[in-house]
Amino acid sequence: MTDAAELRRRTQEFLAANPPASTDRVDFLKARFDAGLAWVHYPQGLGGLGAARALQAVVDAELETAGAPDNDPRRIGIGLGMAAPTILAFGTDEQKRRFLRPLWIGDEVWCQLFSEPGAGSDLAALGTRAVRDEGGTSRSSEAESGGTWVVDGQKVWTSGAHAARWAILIARTDPEVPKHRGITYFVCDMTDPGVEVRPLRQITGEAEFNEVFLTGVRIPDAHRLGEVGDGWKVAQTTLMNERVSIGGSRIPREGGLIAPVAATWRERPELRTHDLHQRLLKLWVEAEVARLTGERLRQQLVAGQPGPEGSGLKLGFARLNQEISGLEVELLGEEGLLYEDWTMRRPEKVDFAGRDAGYRYLRAKGNSIEGGTSEVLLNIVAERVLGLPSEPRTDKDVAWKDLAR
Amino acid sequence: MTDLLYSEEEEALRSAVRGLLADHCDAAAVIARCETDQPHDRELWKALTDGMGLAGLLVPEELGGQGAAHREAAVVLEELGRAVAPVPYLTSAVVATEALLVCDGDAAAELLTALASGRTVGVLAVPLSAAAGQTFTDVREEGGALHGSVTGVADAAAADVLLVPTAAGLFAADVAQDGVTVTAQTSLDPTRPLATVTFDAARARALTSDTDLAVRMGLRAGAGLLASEQLGLAEWCLTETVRHTKERHQFNRPVGSFQALKHRLAQVWLEVVNTRAAARHAADALATGSDEPNLASALAQAYAAPVAVHAAEEALQLHGGIGMTWEHPLHLYLKRAKADSIAFGTAGRHRDELAALLDLQAP
Ligand SMILES: Cc1cc2nc3c(=O)[nH]c(=O)nc-3n(C[C@H](O)[C@H](O)[C@H](O)COP(=O)(O)OP(=O)(O)OC[C@H]3O[C@@H](n4cnc5c(N)ncnc54)[C@H](O)[C@@H]3O)c2cc1C
């Protein structure tokens, strides 16, 4: 097992061989991937060294000190956080070799075609259909490797679809069985002529997410992840990784959204009121405690004792981000009444830093909806962590096609 | 960064204490005891101190202690909180001991040895509600004798020695003398009872002239480690309530299957998880002196106090009528949690302290 000292040494050697100042950014990233320093918990040959996940922090710290370029994780977040772990767990060797390197480098951006107009929290109710093309295909290579699927349907709230080269997609392959059983998981080529991406403007004015219309989209069977009809199980891996996005990244004390508020408080005494003071201190305490909880989880992972704490982190941060950003707008008073820019833009990434308080306030509202709503996550904590009984289910044994819609 | 985990030794200590409490501290007995004039459980205290040496965790080995530290004491407090045990551990083995540790001289050293054995109980004679940084002038010293009185002193009824802050310094006064009267007060929390102590020309030994430092260190450790007691308490409330709501049926289903209840319990769980991080952080900072023990203690108390109260209040509500009875132990937890939220300063006071430490000043 690779330990922290060994990783530090490897990183130093790597930096000596690839000095950040004189190496092209993309070449640097490719070399880093090939040296196994991309995500150290991945297997050798796939960007990692099979080390403990939390040890990534050691590598990141060394690289940051050396001024190394990063792969812009905010732009390629869905690929890194969701597609990659799913491909790693369920992909064939061929798929892993094909997809992981360009994904990590940021050459190829990914999006997630899960949610539909009729299937949000109840994701397993989705209706996008994938049907095997029995009539053969013009492209013989496809036929040889197991044929082609034809996909029709509509997805919604798809973040970054406009910038994506690939998508992870779940679609219904058998409407005759109960909803969780007839789903299959695919990698969808966003350049297929049947894929149409339409911007969906959001609360901030810009269009970070999209509607995606799928009409006769052809997906080779070689781009299926997991078994036919087993897509729900594969999707669980994606969703778990989406919700528990704890990694090596450490935030310093007073990092995160509390930072700009505390800075404004110190720099501009004229804005202070007693009410805001009490709320600021309360939120400072909560932000610091949430940070310590994240740190504790990291220490548990390093020590090989993962706990269920991760399930709570997203919930906690969603509420905190919303309260803190709400306070920030009020603290700014007259300035809080202004907004940077309502024009419809198509950002390639979500970044809370470097934006104004109004943007942070509005965008943070999505934190308790995206990646599973807070209500759904509370259900998960109650049932899986506390072991409370689930609510009676009326849809368990009903074929998907017979469900009320 | 501080170490936020539990070591193997700490887990072993926990299970030993938990086992002992399971045998010696059942809820029915605690309820019965708190209506007598002997609210403290002396047998349990003897088992914890004589038997396991726990009173000496913070005392160096050369003074007869264990030379362990706040991390271990915090684990003991988690278990004592989980059992709402009526023993003067926090007051004697933590607050009084910590105050004595910064006093030089033979009198303090002797007293530390005595407290470490557990055969002597020492209590700092300040109100339980007092926070680090306050000064105390209720008692004055004249020619080696003490005069005055202090109210709301926790565990004074169990004390053999009182550590008394005065303008002239910190003094130790034996309770067993004519000049000292300890009068029990009827307390909101009967498991950590309060008393008024009166000094009428009481004989006393000088411990240090730096009263403020000694008292501040004692109360800071009290606040920081109280978070661990609150953690244990909140965990008990959550575990018991989950158990109860899984077993209790209404409307032909366990009440714990109703989402309104599940969400409330999941919320308490989140708060407990956070409290553990805050409490470990404080214990480690106090033990190692790193990462600003003042900040860590104030932070822990500002967070943990409302969580313990919330956990106990939710537990009561979700138990329904049975939670309101004298027979069910829940009331002991609510009373302890609410009293704890005032002990060593309220959350609001700790936030004010943080404001000063962080340069986030009031308008
Ligand atoms: C900014 C943003 C980006 C997103 N990006 C993507 C993306 O890239 N790809 C993608 O596939 N999806 C994406 N989503 C979709 C997101 O996953 C869904 O919005 C989310 O899962 C909720 O589904 P819904 O919007 O249909 O709400 P609904 O499921 O209709 O929920 C409505 C309300 O009912 C509550 N509710 C529903 N079921 C329950 C229940 N069982 N118990 C209690 N309350 C319940 C919800 O909590 C919510 O408050 C994104 C969403 C946002 C806001």
Side-chain angles (χ1 to χ4, degrees), chain B:
Chain B
M1 189 65 207
T2 50
D3 175 4
L4 302 173
L5 306 182
Y6 299 101
S7 68
E8 272 176 39
E9 294 75 30
E10 286 161 4
E11 288 295 1
L13 174 63
R14 175 200 304 290
S15 49
V17 176
R18 198 184 283 198
L20 188 97
L21 290 167
D23 295 342
H24 286 81
C25 187
D26 68 291
V30 179
I31 295 173
R33 175 182 301 285
C34 65
E35 283 189 288
T36 68
D37 59 358
Q38 289 289 322
H40 293 97
D41 188 339
R42 287 178 193 274
E43 297 230 331
L44 175 61
W45 179 249
K46 198 164 173 331
L48 288 165
T49 57
D50 249 10
M52 300 179 73
L54 296 182
L57 284 180
L58 298 184
V59 179
E61 283 174 69
E62 60 271 23
L63 293 178
Q66 305 250 0
H70 306 75
R71 296 178 55 91
E72 285 82 357
V75 169
V76 173
L77 280 166
E78 278 183 37
E79 296 312 311
L80 295 177
R82 202 185 305 278
V84 280
V87 288
Y89 192 83
L90 186 62
T91 43
S92 183
V94 175
V95 177
T97 299
E98 188 83 357
L100 285 169
L101 281 168
V102 292
C103 302
D104 299 321
D106 293 344
E110 255 170 53
L111 204 43
L112 275 170
T113 305
L115 295 197
S117 75
R119 265 162 262 155
T120 300
V121 170
V123 162
L124 185 63
V126 302
L128 179 60
S129 58
Q134 272 176 254
T135 42
F136 301 92
T137 53
D138 289 335
V139 181
R140 64 187 199 311
E141 183 263 350
E142 270 174 29
L146 304 179
H147 303 268
S149 83
V150 190
T151 55
V153 182
D155 293 336
D160 304 297
V161 183
L162 295 163
L163 310 187
V164 192
T166 72
L170 185 68
F171 290 86
D174 292 331
V175 174
Q177 59 168 306
D178 287 347
V180 178
T181 323
V182 176
T183 315
Q185 297 175 288
T186 307
S187 310
L188 174 67
D189 172 11
T191 63
R192 184 179 282 140
L194 307 180
T196 298
V197 293
T198 306
F199 303 97
D200 184 8
R203 274 167 291 122
R205 320 184 275 291
L207 295 167
T208 177
S209 56
D210 197 345
T211 316
D212 284 352
L213 175 70
V215 172
R216 188 160 11 94
M217 296 310 271
L219 295 181
R220 180 181 80 175
L225 295 193
L226 178 61
S228 292
E229 175 180 305
Q230 287 159 327
L231 169 63
L233 186 157
E235 271 194 309
W236 182 90
C237 292
L238 175 63
T239 310
E240 275 306 299
T241 311
V242 166
R243 194 175 60 72
H244 178 77
T245 55
K246 272 158 90 167
E247 284 166 8
R248 171 75 175 160
H249 281 65
Q250 293 288 284
F251 303 97
N252 197 33
R253 25 192 290 213
V255 293
S257 70
F258 288 103
Q259 193 178 66
L261 270 54
K262 283 156 75 168
H263 283 193
R264 286 166 69 167
L265 287 167
Q267 182 59 40
V268 172
W269 176 80
L270 278 178
E271 292 170 14
V272 168
V273 163
N274 286 332
T275 301
R276 188 185 309 285
R280 283 274 88 188
H281 179 237
D284 192 78
L286 286 166
T288 60
S290 70
D291 209 24
E292 305 170 62
N294 288 329
L295 190 152
S297 300
L299 179 82
Q301 215 28 241
Y303 189 82
V307 168
V309 173
H310 184 228
E313 289 180 347
E314 287 292 79
L316 197 151
Q317 176 65 22
L318 301 190
H319 272 78
I322 195 157
M324 282 298 284
T325 64
W326 188 265
E327 187 187 342
H328 195 285
L330 201 42
H331 62 98
L332 296 178
Y333 289 83
L334 180 65
K335 291 164 186 169
R336 173 71 74 86
K338 196 64 184 172
D340 278 358
S341 76
I342 298 167
F344 308 111
T346 60
R349 280 182 97 121
H350 288 285
R351 286 196 292 269
D352 287 346
E353 192 187 336
L354 286 172
L357 290 170
L358 299 169
D359 185 29
L360 291 171
Q361 304 298 354

Side-chain angles (χ1 to χ4, degrees), chain A residues 90-313:
Chain A
F90 291 95
T92 61
D93 288 346
E94 171 57 27
Q95 288 167 342
K96 289 179 201 169
R97 266 195 308 276
R98 166 64 188 86
F99 293 125
L100 290 177
R101 193 165 179 263
L103 180 160
W104 187 84
I105 290 162
D107 256 2
E108 293 180 345
V109 174
W110 287 67
C111 69
Q112 181 184 22
L113 293 173
F114 279 20
S115 304
E116 298 182 7
S121 301
D122 186 11
L123 184 57
L126 60 89
T128 290
R129 292 287 304 273
V131 179
R132 258 191 216 272
D133 184 4
E134 303 292 357
T137 163
S138 53
R139 285 193 265 173
S140 57
S141 62
E142 284 178 8
E144 276 162 29
S145 59
T148 305
W149 296 82
V150 179
V151 179
D152 289 278
Q154 186 198 337
K155 298 287 177 175
V156 74
W157 325 125
T158 318
S159 304
H162 52 286
R165 171 67 179 80
W166 298 102
I168 41 179
L169 163 78
I170 45 181
R172 185 156 307 281
T173 43
D174 187 354
E176 307 289 334
V177 293
K179 63 181 179 182
H180 290 95
R181 280 195 247 142
I183 295 172
T184 303
Y185 198 117
F186 299 98
V187 170
C188 173
D189 183 344
M190 293 296 284
T191 65
D192 187 281
V195 177
E196 189 200 342
V197 176
R198 291 189 203 155
L200 195 49
R201 197 173 183 201
Q202 69 203 45
I203 189 168
T204 56
E206 42 191 43
E208 191 189 289
F209 52 37
N210 305 270
E211 293 180 293
V212 178
F213 295 85
L214 306 165
T215 316
V217 175
R218 300 183 68 80
I219 299 183
D221 191 57
H223 284 182
R224 169 167 52 79
L225 281 180
E227 299 304 314
V228 174
D230 233 9
W232 186 248
K233 190 174 101 200
V234 185
Q236 286 311 304
T237 297
T238 311
L239 297 175
M240 292 278 281
N241 278 285
E242 178 169 18
R243 287 163 191 168
V244 189
S245 64
I246 32 114
S249 76
R250 281 174 128 162
I251 38 169
R253 173 169 289 160
E254 214 179 83
L257 292 198
I258 197 76
V261 193
T264 306
W265 187 271
R266 292 189 187 106
E267 286 155 20
R268 302 182 52 188
E270 76 281 6
L271 297 175
R272 300 174 189 167
T273 71
H274 286 285
D275 164 58
L276 290 169
H277 190 230
Q278 287 309 307
R279 286 159 60 196
L280 170 66
L281 292 176
K282 203 167 156 295
L283 289 172
W284 196 97
V285 165
E286 287 180 17
E288 175 63 4
V289 172
R291 185 182 79 88
L292 291 171
T293 300
E295 176 61 27
R296 191 174 135 74
L297 184 62
R298 233 181 48 77
Q299 293 182 6
Q300 281 178 290
L301 289 175
V302 177
Q305 337 158 335
E309 284 81 355
S311 340
L313 280 184

Side-chain angles (χ1 to χ4, degrees), chain A residues 303-385:
Chain A
Q305 337 158 335
E309 284 81 355
S311 340
L313 280 184
K314 176 183 183 283
L315 269 168
F317 275 113
R319 199 184 49 77
L320 255 177
N321 282 353
Q322 294 175 353
E323 284 192 30
I324 294 171
S325 60
L327 177 75
E328 189 184 10
V329 173
E330 279 181 68
L331 170 62
L332 289 169
E334 205 177 318
E335 268 167 61
L337 293 170
L338 304 176
Y339 190 76
E340 52 185 21
D341 183 2
W342 289 118
T343 46
M344 146 97 161
R345 284 156 296 139
R346 313 219 61 196
E348 292 216 345
K349 61 182 170 193
V350 187
D351 200 347
F352 280 74
R355 307 293 297 266
D356 74 3
Y359 171 86
R360 280 193 280 275
Y361 171 68
L362 295 171
R363 183 59 186 80
K365 292 290 167 249
N367 291 167
S368 54
I369 300 173
E370 60 197 340
T373 66
S374 291
E375 289 74 21
V376 165
L377 295 186
L378 285 168
N379 288 346
I380 291 176
V381 167
E383 289 171 21
R384 302 207 193 139
V385 180

